[in-house]
Amino acid sequence: MTAERAIEWIDLGHMHYDEALERQLARSRALLAEQDNQQTIYMVEHPPTITIGRNGTTDNIVASEAFLEENGFTVRHVDRGGDVTYHGPGQLVVYPVLHLAPWNNDVKAYVRNLEESVIRSLATVNIHATRHADYPGVWVGDAKICAVGARVQKRPSGEFVTYHGIALNLNTNLDHFSTIVPCGIRDKEVTSVAKELGEAVDFSDWQTRVKAAFIEVFNEQGLYQNERKV
């Protein structure tokens, strides 16, 4: 084991989208400048937030500005791939800020591994989740349970650095998705762990489940991890 492969898992608790994004950007800038090789994964829960990716458009926000303002929604254009998505209470958001050298610098494999981590975590409670042939993310039947989106940049050495990540619906208020056309897909639904199980679930328990699946999928079972609450 080398220090550059150690992952620091940081629980940000409930944090505004802008602050969590700045944490990611600061860490990714350090990696891109090759100031260090520290691998970091943030876990966080956001207040109601609509983000528009580089391939997105405000046309896919169907709620009025007045409604969004009255209900405390934030709207942000962001530099990840994809279209429009929603973050909010009861949704587990995971932001890996990693350089991909330990994983063969393979971006496509990295995204597949993110999806696989969620699929395996859901399997622990007998939710059968899969990839969709036409769309990214993780699906239960024709309903999306987890969005996946990443921003990838290259270091001078040629190694890729990634940030943004996954958003898994746990106890999420699914009515909030009616404010948008999720990911620009008009003929699909969204779901949550709570909906699939028929009862609310424990947020911290799911942090543990997703983390364990991530470590397993990325083949880092023996990796030193330093965890702290911020």
Side-chain angles (χ1 to χ4, degrees):
M1 181 193 73
T2 62
E4 72 174 9
R5 296 194 66 187
I7 294 180
E8 183 178 30
W9 291 78
I10 300 177
D11 180 4
L12 297 177
H14 190 81
M15 180 178 284
H16 194 278
Y17 184 87
D18 293 349
E19 186 176 353
L21 178 59
E22 185 50 43
R23 298 282 187 105
Q24 293 182 75
L25 291 174
R27 185 87 292 276
S28 66
R29 285 193 291 264
L31 288 177
L32 287 166
E34 301 190 36
Q35 295 174 2
D36 60 51
N37 285 317
Q38 179 60 58
Q39 310 278 45
T40 306
I41 298 179
Y42 300 101
M43 306 181 89
V44 65
E45 182 181 20
H46 292 308
T49 307
I50 293 171
T51 64
I52 307 169
R54 288 174 295 160
N55 303 321
T57 170
T58 53
D59 291 344
N60 285 328
I61 300 177
V62 296
S64 68
E65 290 185 17
F67 176 88
L68 296 176
E69 184 175 349
E70 289 170 6
N71 289 275
F73 280 70
T74 297
V75 179
R76 292 289 185 267
H77 288 267
V78 297
D79 60 353
R80 60 164 172 77
D83 203 298
V84 175
T85 194
Y86 166 78
H87 298 306
Q91 183 188 75
L92 173 59
V93 183
V94 182
Y95 294 129
V97 185
L98 307 172
H99 69 83
L100 298 185
W103 299 284
N104 297 317
N105 212 35
D106 188 331
V107 175
K108 289 184 179 180
Y110 167 72
V111 174
R112 289 196 300 271
N113 285 342
L114 289 181
E115 293 170 338
E116 182 65 20
S117 298
V118 176
I119 290 169
R120 292 193 192 183
S121 68
L122 293 169
T124 64
V125 293
N126 298 316
I127 295 176
H128 177 65
T130 61
R131 297 176 181 83
H132 195 289
D134 298 320
Y135 305 112
V138 177
W139 299 75
V140 178
D142 271 346
K144 180 178 276 192
I145 197 168
C146 181
V148 176
R151 169 67 165 149
V152 178
Q153 295 175 288
K154 188 179 288 188
R155 298 168 113 178
S157 60
E159 295 165 356
F160 289 113
V161 171
T162 182
Y163 56 100
H164 293 296
I166 63 174
L168 173 61
N169 297 326
L170 298 178
N171 301 312
T172 317
N173 182 349
L174 298 180
D175 289 340
H176 281 184
F177 282 93
S178 66
T179 61
I180 63 173
V181 180
C183 302
I185 305 169
R186 297 183 179 275
D187 62 344
K188 304 298 180 186
E189 298 181 354
V190 291
T191 190
S192 67
V193 175
K195 181 177 179 179
E196 295 301 316
L197 296 181
E199 60 183 6
V201 297
D202 182 77
F203 195 90
S204 62
D205 173 61
W206 274 90
Q207 287 179 303
T208 300
R209 289 176 188 271
V210 170
K211 177 179 172 181
F214 184 100
I215 293 169
E216 179 181 72
V217 169
F218 282 78
N219 196 28
E220 299 297 332
Q221 294 92 331
L223 193 62
Y224 170 75
Q225 295 148 47
N226 177 27
E227 303 170 61
R228 57 190 175 94
K229 181 84 172 181
V230 178

